[in-house]
Amino acid sequence: MTAADPGDASVRHARVKAFFNEVCDLPNTATQRAALQNLGADSDTQAEVLRMLAPPPGATRFSDAVGQAAAQWLGSPLRPGDRLGSWTLVRPLGEGGMGRVFLAERSDGHYQQQAAIKLLLGWSGAQALERLTRERQLLARLNHPHIAKLLDGGTTASGQPYLVMEYADGDTIDAWCAKQRLPLAARLALFASVCDAVAHAHRHLVVHCDIKPANVLVNAEGRVMLLDFGIAQLQGQGAQAPAGMTVGYASPEQSAGQPPGPPSDIFSLGRLLETLARPEAASHRRGDELAAIVARATARAPEQRYDSAGALQRELQRLLAHRPIAALRGRRAYALRKGLRRHWPWALAGAATLALTATLAGQLMLQVQRTRAAEARAHEAEQRALQPRAPTLR
Amino acid sequence: MSGNPSPPLTVLLQAWRRGDSDAFGQLIQRVQGELLRMAASRLRGVETPSLAVGDLLQETLVKLMQSPPAWQDRAHFFGAVSMAMRSVLVDHARARHTDKRGGDWQRVGYTVSEVGEESNIADLLTLDALLRQLAQVDPRAAEILQLTYFGGLGREDIAAVLSLSIATVDRELRFARAWLTAQLQRDLQA
C-alpha cells in the first residue's frame, strides 16, 4: 500500500476513491464486499475501501481540535482579578468586551503602582516574539516627562503578548482645552510639549504612528502625556481599526499602506494643531499664519512638511514672538509687515514725530534683512540637524 | 468611523501571492482582529468562549469579504485565508507543544486518549500532516477539507466557492473524512 512513486500513489488513491464512491451507499458490509468483488477490485483495494467504510468513531474530533486551537490563539478572555506577572487586572479600560486594555495594579506588595496593560494581536511563533522583544527594548529607551513609559511586558498563559505602560489619567487634550477655555497661547504651549515628546522619540528612532487627541491626555495638574508610542505598529493597524486611527490624523502615505516614518508623525501633529487651534484661531489676528503652519505640516508630500517636530515647535515660537514664520518665508510684503509689527512702538513714535522718511524705511528694511538672514541660518541648522528618517517600527 | 489605514484585502492577498510576508502578517492580524471583535460581540457576558469557532470564522470571512467580487476571487480569498488560518494555528500549536514538551510532537492514533490541550495540539498537528499527505494524491479533497476545518465553510458555501455541485462536495467530504479515519487507524496499528 505504500508506493514509493508519488505517481503510483495517486493512481492507487484514485482507484480506491472510485470504488469507495461506487459502494459507499450500499446498506451493509456484506453487500459492499460483494459489489467490490463484482466490480473487479483487487484484494488490497477491497480491504482498503472496506476499512474506510467502517463508521468513523469520532467525526467531530478534528473540528474540536481546530476550534480549541483557535480559541487558544484568540486567547481566553481575561477578567479583573486575573494576574499577569506581577500585575493584577483591576478593570478594562477603553473599548471592547474582550478587554484588550486593562487597568492593573502591581501585586508583588513592594509598592503601589498603577499601569495600563495592553494585549497585542497577531504575534505568534518564536520569531515574532523575538522581534517583539527587540521592539520593546527600543520603546523602553524612551524616557521623557510627556511620554507614558513602557514599564514591563510578557506573555499570557495562552501565549498572547502584552505590554505594561505607565497609566495616565486625564482628559484628552482637545477636551481639556475646551473645558478650561484655554486661550491660543496656552493651547500652543501644550502643543509644544507634545512636539517635544515626539522629537525625543524620533531621536530614539521611534515613530508614534497614531498621534490624535485620544492619545494625548492632560492630567488634573495640566501635564500633557502622550500615550501608546509605537504601539499602533505593534498592534497592527488592521487589527485595531476602526477603533484605531481617525481618518483625518493618518498621513496620506499611511492611508496608502506604506510604512510610516517621522514625517507621518509631523502630519498627525499638524492635524492635532489644527484641532486645538481652530476654535481660537478663526477670529485671531494670526489665523492666516497658523493656517499656513498647519498646511505646511500636513503637506501631501512628506518632504514638503517640517523636517522635524522640533522645527514645527520652533515655528510656533516664532509665531508667538511675532517673528516671520518659515511657512510664509519669501513673501516680502509679509516680512515687512512682521517687522513693523514687532517694532511698532518705535515705528509709531517715528511716524508721529516725522513723516515716514526714507531713512526710517531703510532702517526697517535693514532690520528685516537681518531677521531673514538669522532665519536662514536657523533653517540651515535645522536642515543639517540629524533627522531620524528611518522608520524603525514596522 | 471607518478609519482603517491598512490596504484593502485584495491588495494584501495579491502582495502575499507575490511572496510578501508582511502582507501575510497583516492579513492574519486583520482576520484575528475581526474574529476577536465578532467573538466579543457574540460572547459578551458569557463565561467561557464558545467553541463554535467554525461559525465564527465563516462569519468573519464573509464580513471581511464585504463587497462580493468575482467568484474566482472568492475562491482564492477563502483558499488563502483558510490556508493562513491553518498555518497560524499550526505554528501556534507547535510553539505551545514545544513549550510543554520541549520536543517534537508525536502523531496520535485513535485509541490513544490524552486529555485536554495536549491531545488537541496533537490532533491539530496530525490533521495538518494528513492534509499535506492527501494534497499530494488528491488536491481537491484536501482543499475541501481545509475549507471545512480552517475556513469554517459548510457544504453549500464550498460548492459555491469552488463551483461544484453540492452532491459532489458531499461525496468528496464523505470520502475525505473516511480517508482521514483510515489513516489514523493505520498509524495506530503501525
Side-chain angles (χ1 to χ4, degrees), chain A residues 13 17 21 24-25 48 51-52 61-62 66 68 70 73 79 98 121-122 157 236 241-242 245 254-255, chain B residues 1 3 5 29 32 36-37 40 47 51 53 88 96 110 120 123 137-138 149 171-172 174-175 178-179 186:
Chain A
H13 179 90
K17 191 173 181 174
N21 285 335
C24 65
D25 288 327
E48 178 73 9
R51 180 165 47 202
M52 290 178 64
R61 172 177 171 166
F62 282 128
V66 174
Q68 295 279 4
W73 179 59
R79 284 185 209 85
M98 292 299 270
L121 295 174
M245 195 177 287
Q254 272 175 291
S255 303
Chain B
M1 263 312 273
Q29 285 183 346
Q32 191 186 16
L36 273 175
R37 252 196 304 285
E47 272 294 298
L51 289 176
V53 173
V88 159
R96 293 185 59 69
Y110 251 118
N120 276 316
D123 278 352
V137 292
D138 194 348
Y149 287 124
R171 206 162 50 238
E172 291 281 344
R174 180 172 183 172
F175 173 78
W179 183 87
R186 171 168 317 162

Side-chain angles (χ1 to χ4, degrees), chain A residues 230-254:
Chain A
I231 305 300
Q233 293 281 73
L234 296 185
Q235 274 186 328
Q237 293 149 359
Q240 64 165 14
M245 195 177 287
T246 318
V247 175
Y249 289 86
S251 67
E253 63 270 21
Q254 272 175 291

Side-chain angles (χ1 to χ4, degrees), chain A residues 11 42 64 68 71 103 139 153 155 185 189 193 238 243 245 262 312 340 360 370 384:
Chain A
V11 170
D42 61 68
D64 284 354
Q68 295 279 4
L103 175 66
L139 293 178
T155 310
S193 307
M245 195 177 287
L312 172 56
L340 267 173
L360 177 52
R370 260 191 231 127
R384 277 197 307 274

